[in-house]
Amino acid sequence: MFTAKTDINKEIQKELSRPLYIVSIVTLVIGIVGMVAYVVLGTIFDNPEIEYMLAFSFPFAFGLVLLITINKLCKNADKIPQYNQYTFEEEYFMATTYRRGENVGTVKLYYKDLAKSRESKNYIFMYLNKYSAVAVAKDQLNSDELILLRSFLGLKLV
């Protein structure tokens, strides 16, 4: 029916990781606020309980590790030049991955087998399972193709 090409790069990884990025920032802030409160209360009272410090160090550490991981994933996304070529049909789509200009694989996926679909500002993400997704750049589709793809995926028609 129609085709689209999407480069796999840092921008895709940023938009795909945006919900996790928000979670990491929130937990990091909660941990920092809790630890600062612990230090302030520790100067006011003689024997502050160490359990309070530990309780807030876990969200801080979790948020920090998650933030570092997301940033590393975004940096690594541009190291290997690769792109996906999609061919969309009414009940399925074909995704062919090219890495360094070489075809490394093609897969046929039915829309009904996707775990979920999500649309961001620049991409439509089609989740193969809870954690893996393929992305289609919306600027590679004309308005009619975008409407068709949204209807195939059950997304809200804009």
Side-chain angles (χ1 to χ4, degrees):
M1 252 176 139
F2 61 94
T3 62
K5 176 187 167 193
T6 301
D7 291 325
I8 300 171
N9 54 29
K10 181 171 42 176
E11 287 77 30
I12 287 178
Q13 193 62 42
K14 278 185 178 180
E15 284 197 40
L16 183 60
S17 303
R18 186 157 179 76
L20 279 178
Y21 182 79
I22 292 168
V23 167
S24 69
I25 295 295
V26 168
T27 57
L28 192 62
V29 168
I30 289 170
I32 289 171
V33 168
M35 290 193 306
V36 167
Y38 174 79
V39 170
V40 169
L41 292 175
T43 58
I44 296 171
F45 301 107
D46 289 336
N47 293 326
E49 297 294 324
I50 192 70
E51 290 84 17
Y52 295 123
M53 175 68 155
L54 290 175
F56 286 106
S57 65
F58 289 121
F60 172 77
F62 176 76
L64 185 62
V65 168
L66 194 56
L67 189 64
I68 290 169
T69 303
I70 290 168
N71 287 335
K72 188 169 182 136
L73 285 172
C74 289
K75 284 182 184 177
N76 289 340
D78 282 337
K79 285 188 177 179
I80 299 173
Q82 58 186 344
Y83 67 91
N84 284 343
Q85 180 74 40
Y86 301 101
T87 304
F88 295 99
E89 300 293 337
E90 193 169 335
E91 296 194 14
Y92 65 90
F93 68 96
M94 304 281 285
T96 304
T97 301
Y98 294 88
R99 189 170 292 141
R100 295 187 177 101
E102 180 182 339
N103 180 339
V104 293
T106 302
V107 64
K108 180 179 182 179
L109 298 161
Y110 287 88
Y111 301 115
K112 65 180 181 173
D113 294 336
L114 295 174
K116 71 176 182 176
S117 300
R118 176 174 70 89
E119 187 171 353
S120 71
K121 179 181 176 186
N122 299 312
Y123 300 97
I124 293 179
F125 295 104
M126 298 174 289
Y127 286 81
L128 310 175
N129 57 42
K130 191 175 180 180
Y131 303 105
S132 333
V134 292
V136 179
K138 292 184 345 185
D139 63 1
Q140 295 293 310
L141 303 170
N142 64 39
S143 60
D144 292 336
E145 292 169 344
L146 193 54
I147 290 170
L148 273 174
L149 183 56
R150 284 177 180 142
S151 69
F152 293 160
L153 297 170
L155 294 172
K156 187 165 102 175
L157 299 177
V158 179

